[in-house]
Amino acid sequence: MMTEKEKMITGEHYSAVDATLIKDRRRAKNLLHRLNITEYRITKKAREIIQELIPNTGDKFYIEPPFHCDYGYNIYCGENVYFNVNCVVLDCAPITIGSNVFFAPGVHLYTATHPLDAILRRTHESALPITIGDDCWIGGNSVICPGITIGKGCVIGAGSVVTKDIPENTLAVGNPAKVIRKLNQ
């Protein structure tokens, strides 16, 4: 039988009040407190906190505090990834980010979702992975919804809400985000 953590990571309905998940979130919150409050400036100590919080990153991974996430261990990044201030990453399911990806201020990545059935929603939630390809720029205050894939080379305009997959090398804007043109052609 799968643990609640295994269910969470694989997209099954799970109980978020599971003791292991509570412990994992508490660990992340303690590290985030140290990053966002105690260190705040990017120092050697802040880099150590970031590495402990989000161990699955390439070189040149940079976070501008404040930053928020649920677990940290479900965030996988390539080389040269930058999160500007006030980004929120609900990483209940894996979030895979390519190399050379830049997140403007206030970007939110949500893998967490909830059942439409009201009774089930009282006790369970679920999560769907997010994938963002290489060389993307996600504009300020954009929201990436659960289960979304953004292809390589994309630009997501500021304030967009991405509810459907975005093909590579395109510019998408709006709420909901719509592709308005191809890029690099």
Side-chain angles (χ1 to χ4, degrees), residues 60-82:
K60 297 183 183 175
F61 177 72
Y62 188 86
I63 291 174
E64 187 70 46
F67 176 84
H68 302 279
C69 66
D70 281 334
Y71 299 97
Y73 54 67
N74 280 330
I75 302 170
Y76 300 85
C77 297
E79 308 294 323
N80 196 31
V81 172
Y82 175 79

Side-chain angles (χ1 to χ4, degrees), residues 49-67:
I49 294 166
I50 291 168
Q51 181 61 39
E52 186 177 349
L53 176 65
I54 306 172
N56 303 308
T57 65
D59 291 334
K60 297 183 183 175
F61 177 72
Y62 188 86
I63 291 174
E64 187 70 46
F67 176 84

